[in-house]
Amino acid sequence: MRIVFGMQLDGTIWSNENASIGEVRTGPMGLLSILETRLGIGMQSVHPVYRIDEYMKRLQLIDRESIWFHESFAIDPWSTARQLLEWRDELVEAGWDGQAIPSGSLRLDALAELECADVPLSGGRSDQLRRVTACLKCGIPAHIESIILAEPSSMLAPAWRHVFELLQSQGTNITCLSMPDRRPQGGNLSRIQAVIGGIDVQGTLSPDDDTLILLKTDNEWEAAEHLALWLASKNEANDQVAIICGMDTSVLDQALKRHGLPRLGRTAPSRWREIQQLLPLTLANAWRPVDIRLVVELLSLTLSVFPKWVCKIILKAVAEEPSIGGRAWNHALSKVSEKYKDFLAEKDDPESEEKAEALIRSIQSLLVNDRFDSVEGIPEAKLRERCQVLIDRLAWQVGDMPILTEVINQAREIQKLSLGKGCIPRITLERMLDTIIGPGNTLDDINEEAGPWHVVDHPGQITDVRGEIIWWGFNTPATSSPTYWSPQERSALATCGIFLEETRSFRSREAYDWQKGLMNADKRFIAIYISQIDGEESEHHPYWDTIWSAASRILYGFPNDAVKRYIYSECSDFSHIGDWQFAGRKSTLQSVKKAETSPVTASYTVPNSVIKAAERLSYTQMSTLIGCPFKWTLEYHAGLQPAESQSIPTGNQMIGTFCHRIIEELYSKTNHLEANNAYEKAGYLFDSLISSMASAGGCDRQ
């Protein structure tokens, strides 16, 4: 077996060849899996949420006031366990066997004590790597012919360097994939590549050369249209193009589709998609006091825990009285019950009465009755009941919407984790949920389509020379940083033979991978920087400065503005009408005929009989009438109303509705009240009605 290994190569295609046998291109996770299989030590992977739960039990077992993590654990047990587990795994990967580290630190002492705690802990990736290392040390052959490293061995973490040393001792040929040797050939790209590669360059850059372009665009739409037009202008040459997707390509995919080109399909995962809100909102409505906004959010989902017609009736009641348990709420439940009974009666269901009552009990249980203190927590049995309601609601629809399987699995994970925990505080439950959901899901209806070009997600995945390289989203990347270990901790660990990755090694590897995106371009390199993403300013990629610095060295003594015109362009510099030309490609564009716009009418005149004077005006109506008579006309006479989920009374409207209800109750049985009696009764009504009519403010979210 021949392997190309790179820290960014997990998930990439195995080979660029049309046919390949015995060749694999992979990253750390893929190589670890190959080694486990060949050494016969494969083990079932465990979801991180269970490992965190197991480690939290270890913390509970040894927790005391004097231990290093006590204060953090008392406030947020789950997050504390997750962080300590990450540190533990990092040490294990570096070779730690769980023994105490002399002259270490309180953190290392706590980790050593946790490692000895009598609570089982499932193995993670670091444990798998140590098992592989142990087998290789024992001389068990992996039968790997050769491994080509995409990054120099010196830039890899010590644990992986050790693995490759052991494989090499077995006869595996370990070599490194060198960076292309770039010599100046006259173009701007080759000259800058040579400077970055450490070669002295004679001559200068040309302002008319388009082999290297740093393109700045104002927004994604402008950038997407420009790139799509460039690709469509010479489609037959796109087989020599590699596209680095430095960010989500949803907008770019739309532009490609308009030009008849295949989509790249690189949509970023999100935990905020509507389908991912089902479980969080179902659990968020388990706490006291009631936050009516969370109730409305749950009922407003396209797919909720209750049928859509039930949600619509309840939302209308909430719009009338922004709370639960009041007159409007109870009236809505009665309406739901009657409607459901009528529906079942038409089907000759003999249990229509019982099923209608069961539906009302379910609504009351989920939204009204079963609410708990966020600090004391929700009983595990009640938590499992809530999850089961959601599972039962979604299970029969999985056939039509396979993505619901993910939500059902998340609910089942919560059910499993709750076993034996008694009452689970809100903060712990929300942290558990965050871990289970993770980064979220991608859009299941958008996938990569077959195209002539080569698409990668990271410049480190480009392992061979490409004709033209486009870096889409040449913006600041989301990178992580290695754990900070103090000099004292590193020294103590090194004494025990445990060597952690240095920050400089991590950063050097990161910069080396960025450099591949430029150095592997043979004819042209275009970096597209988008200055505004989602309406917010965004910075360019750090490697932009490296390219700029190389250009400045060639143009030594030139001011920045002069250097800028040799390698820098903006989308606005290129005309989008007539003869369009950019980076070696051109196209003839036709201007779109301007659509005729309807003239704006300053005022509308209607007969006096159409809009009659209102007998009574509320404060809200008066504010609307004074501020915008047209809005008042459309809302109160034409009957145009916002959706129920957008019409929760708040502020003055909620206060007005509440006060009207108090006055209504005060004089429901009499036309006259003495001032003292009215004052006393109004105070009583205020206290008794506020929880059922004015909880729109909700509770403080943790």
Side-chain angles (χ1 to χ4, degrees):
M1 173 178 279
R2 301 180 302 277
I3 296 175
V4 177
F5 174 87
M7 296 302 290
Q8 301 294 336
L9 292 183
D10 275 320
T12 59
I13 58 174
W14 280 19
S15 173
N16 290 333
E17 303 297 331
N18 292 330
S20 175
I21 298 177
E23 181 179 319
V24 176
R25 183 175 302 192
T26 188
M29 293 300 295
L31 181 57
L32 187 58
S33 177
I34 291 170
L35 290 172
E36 283 185 316
T37 302
R38 290 187 162 253
L39 296 171
I41 56 171
M43 58 183 290
Q44 186 177 2
S45 60
V46 179
H47 194 293
V49 73
Y50 293 110
R51 298 189 69 235
I52 296 171
D53 186 53
E54 292 166 351
Y55 210 64
M56 187 170 69
K57 292 175 182 176
R58 289 192 175 190
L59 269 70
Q60 290 172 338
L61 183 65
I62 68 171
D63 183 34
R64 57 185 184 276
E65 288 188 6
S66 60
I67 203 161
W68 182 75
F69 57 76
H70 173 73
E71 292 185 5
S72 295
F73 188 67
I75 297 172
D76 190 347
W78 188 268
S79 296
T80 304
R82 179 170 55 189
Q83 181 61 75
L84 285 167
L85 180 59
E86 287 179 7
W87 290 336
R88 177 262 179 199
D89 286 346
E90 189 173 340
L91 292 177
V92 169
E93 183 171 309
W96 182 49
D97 59 2
Q99 299 300 312
I101 307 297
S103 305
S105 65
L106 293 176
R107 172 167 60 165
L108 291 175
D109 292 343
L111 289 169
E113 189 173 347
L114 282 166
E115 201 66 14
C116 297
D118 189 19
V119 175
L121 176 65
S122 301
R125 197 190 80 164
S126 60
D127 299 280
Q128 293 173 266
L129 185 58
R130 296 321 306 169
R131 292 179 65 194
V132 165
T133 304
C135 288
L136 293 175
K137 279 184 177 179
C138 292
I140 302 176
H143 299 294
I144 295 176
E145 178 185 340
S146 65
I147 297 178
I148 301 175
L149 303 179
E151 296 96 357
S153 176
S154 59
M155 293 182 182
L156 300 179
W160 281 105
R161 289 206 303 268
H162 187 42
V163 168
F164 293 129
E165 289 169 1
L166 292 171
L167 288 170
Q168 194 168 29
S169 67
Q170 291 186 359
T172 301
N173 183 30
I174 308 290
T175 57
C176 182
L177 191 67
S178 60
M179 199 76 76
D181 184 17
R182 293 299 184 184
R183 301 284 173 176
Q185 299 174 358
N188 288 355
L189 173 62
S190 65
R191 291 179 184 277
I192 287 177
Q193 287 174 332
V195 170
I196 292 176
I199 300 173
D200 291 332
V201 173
Q202 302 297 324
T204 185
L205 301 180
S206 169
D208 300 321
D209 185 278
D210 59 4
T211 57
L212 186 145
I213 299 176
L214 300 182
L215 180 66
K216 178 184 176 183
T217 65
D218 290 336
N219 52 62
E220 286 181 80
W221 289 268
E222 183 181 57
E225 186 62 31
H226 203 74
L227 177 55
L229 182 57
W230 184 83
L231 291 169
S233 298
K234 201 174 182 181
N235 195 25
E236 66 278 6
N238 285 338
D239 59 344
Q240 299 298 313
V241 173
I243 302 175
I244 302 170
C245 298
M247 58 179 288
D248 186 284
T249 64
S250 298
V251 175
L252 176 57
D253 285 340
Q254 295 176 41
L256 292 173
K257 209 65 181 174
R258 286 196 299 271
H259 287 274
L261 299 173
R263 295 182 298 195
L264 304 182
R266 295 309 201 268
T267 57
S270 173
R271 59 183 297 115
W272 305 114
R273 303 193 197 282
E274 186 183 41
I275 199 70
Q276 291 287 4
Q277 298 306 302
L278 271 168
L279 183 58
L281 286 173
T282 300
L283 301 182
N285 279 286
W287 309 109
R288 295 194 303 258
V290 175
D291 186 341
I292 198 63
R293 294 168 299 184
L294 293 176
V295 175
V296 170
E297 286 175 18
L298 175 61
L299 298 177
S300 299
L301 295 174
T302 303
L303 183 63
S304 188
V305 286
F306 302 113
K308 196 63 183 175
W309 65 270
V310 173
C311 297
K312 188 173 182 180
I313 292 173
I314 296 176
L315 284 171
K316 189 173 182 179
V318 170
E320 183 180 340
E321 293 181 2
S323 190
I324 59 177
R327 182 174 64 181
W329 179 273
N330 293 329
H331 177 70
L333 294 186
S334 298
K335 188 175 180 180
V336 168
S337 178
E338 291 301 320
K339 188 171 181 177
Y340 193 44
K341 281 191 288 187
D342 292 344
F343 171 76
L344 294 174
E346 290 179 2
K347 294 182 174 294
D348 297 325
D349 191 328
E351 299 179 351
S352 59
E353 190 78 29
E354 293 80 359
K355 290 181 178 179
E357 291 178 0
L359 175 60
I360 299 304
R361 284 197 303 270
S362 178
I363 296 172
Q364 287 289 85
S365 174
L366 210 62
L367 301 178
V368 182
N369 298 331
D370 291 341
R371 288 185 174 266
F372 308 92
D373 182 81
S374 60
V375 177
E376 293 178 1
I378 178 174
E380 58 178 270
K382 292 295 183 181
L383 175 58
R384 287 195 293 274
E385 284 180 14
R386 280 184 171 263
C387 292
Q388 193 60 46
V389 168
L390 186 60
I391 292 171
D392 294 341
R393 168 72 173 140
L394 302 181
W396 64 275
Q397 302 180 73
V398 169
D400 296 327
M401 299 178 63
I403 195 173
L404 293 179
T405 303
E406 186 176 346
V407 180
I408 292 173
N409 289 337
Q410 291 169 1
R412 286 175 176 158
E413 302 287 5
I414 290 289
Q415 286 180 321
K416 293 177 185 177
L417 286 170
S418 67
L419 292 172
K421 284 187 169 56
C423 288
I424 304 172
R426 180 176 187 176
I427 191 169
T428 301
L429 180 57
E430 289 181 348
R431 298 294 184 269
M432 290 163 55
L433 196 57
D434 286 344
T435 308
I436 289 172
I437 294 176
N441 66 304
T442 57
L443 295 174
D444 58 348
D445 58 342
I446 296 180
N447 300 297
E448 181 180 358
E449 296 175 340
W453 43 66
H454 179 59
V455 184
V456 298
D457 301 318
H458 191 278
Q461 295 174 355
I462 296 181
T463 57
D464 46 15
V465 175
R466 291 282 167 174
E468 298 175 294
I469 293 181
I470 314 297
W471 194 326
W472 166 259
F474 195 61
N475 293 57
T476 302
T479 60
S480 58
S481 298
T483 301
Y484 173 76
W485 298 94
S486 69
Q488 176 190 352
E489 290 173 321
R490 285 184 177 272
S491 176
L493 289 166
T495 303
C496 298
I498 304 165
F499 299 95
L500 298 166
E501 183 175 20
E502 297 283 350
T503 302
R504 63 174 176 269
S505 175
F506 177 86
R507 293 303 179 198
S508 296
R509 185 174 68 247
E510 188 176 52
Y512 186 85
D513 284 338
W514 293 342
Q515 189 168 320
K516 291 179 188 177
L518 174 71
M519 300 301 283
N520 280 298
D522 189 40
K523 297 179 180 178
R524 183 171 286 107
F525 176 81
I526 304 172
I528 302 175
Y529 158 52
I530 302 168
S531 59
Q532 282 196 356
I533 299 176
D534 295 334
E536 296 184 1
E537 295 293 331
S538 179
E539 294 296 325
H540 59 68
H541 196 283
Y543 204 70
W544 180 293
D545 297 322
T546 301
I547 298 172
W548 196 280
S549 175
S552 298
R553 287 175 60 185
I554 298 173
L555 300 170
Y556 182 75
F558 281 55
N560 282 338
D561 287 343
V563 175
K564 180 178 180 180
R565 69 188 182 91
Y566 285 86
I567 61 173
Y568 176 87
S569 299
E570 294 191 18
C571 250
S572 55
D573 297 337
F574 301 92
S575 174
H576 282 69
I577 57 174
D579 294 330
W580 173 88
Q581 187 171 346
F582 171 70
R585 301 189 183 189
K586 59 184 179 179
S587 182
T588 301
L589 306 180
Q590 296 180 353
S591 59
V592 178
K593 184 180 179 180
K594 292 184 179 180
E596 295 182 3
T597 57
S598 302
V600 178
T601 304
S603 61
Y604 294 86
T605 303
V606 295
N608 293 334
S609 59
V610 174
I611 302 176
K612 298 179 180 179
E615 296 181 2
R616 294 185 300 175
L617 289 173
S618 66
Y619 176 86
T620 303
Q621 290 190 40
M622 285 190 289
S623 298
T624 304
L625 181 59
I626 295 171
C628 181
F630 187 52
K631 178 184 176 183
W632 180 83
T633 304
L634 293 177
E635 186 171 347
Y636 294 101
H637 286 273
L640 295 179
Q641 299 289 335
E644 287 87 350
S645 60
Q646 300 175 3
S647 58
I648 307 172
T650 57
N652 291 326
Q653 184 180 2
M654 181 183 68
I655 294 172
T657 303
F658 186 35
C659 291
H660 289 169
R661 178 66 183 278
I662 291 176
I663 297 298
E664 178 185 343
E665 294 292 333
L666 276 175
Y667 294 98
S668 60
K669 297 180 180 179
T670 181
N671 293 327
H672 176 76
L673 283 174
E674 295 294 334
N676 291 338
N677 290 339
Y679 177 81
E680 182 178 350
K681 190 173 181 181
Y684 170 77
L685 289 171
F686 181 92
D687 294 336
S688 61
L689 293 174
I690 192 167
S691 62
S692 63
M693 285 200 64
S695 64
C699 57
D700 295 328
R701 301 191 188 189
Q702 295 188 16

